[in-house]
Amino acid sequence: MNETYRLEKIRNLGVRLQELELVALTPGKSYASAALNFLFADHELERPFGMPLEHTLKTLGEAIVAKRKVRFTTLDADAVIDFFCRLYRVH
């Protein structure tokens, strides 16, 4: 998945999180940014800024593996997006 498609999926996740009233979009913030902020806060992690999107998503993947019972030892960036899209039922 290329970065543009990843951002589109994360944006869609942000829209869904707002529909579920889990995030409130603040002026000047994007849906993608709101989604990432929510996911990092939900996993009690500080969101890394200034890092490539792939690295940011891999950091979330490490948290998923550590805190949830998944059958994988590592998750790549695309798997992280798919995990959260399934969890919050984003199409």
Side-chain angles (χ1 to χ4, degrees), residues 50-62:
M51 300 302 282
L53 181 59
E54 187 166 349
H55 174 75
T56 301
L57 293 171
K58 284 183 179 181
T59 302
L60 271 175
E62 292 168 6

Side-chain angles (χ1 to χ4, degrees), residues 39-80:
L39 296 174
F40 273 93
D42 192 47
H43 286 86
E44 300 172 348
L45 295 172
E46 187 172 328
R47 180 178 168 194
F49 288 97
M51 300 302 282
L53 181 59
E54 187 166 349
H55 174 75
T56 301
L57 293 171
K58 284 183 179 181
T59 302
L60 271 175
E62 292 168 6
I64 293 167
V65 169
K67 291 188 176 191
R68 300 177 186 252
K69 296 188 184 203
V70 294
R71 58 182 175 207
F72 305 105
T73 56
T74 60
L75 295 173
D76 66 10
D78 298 334
V80 171

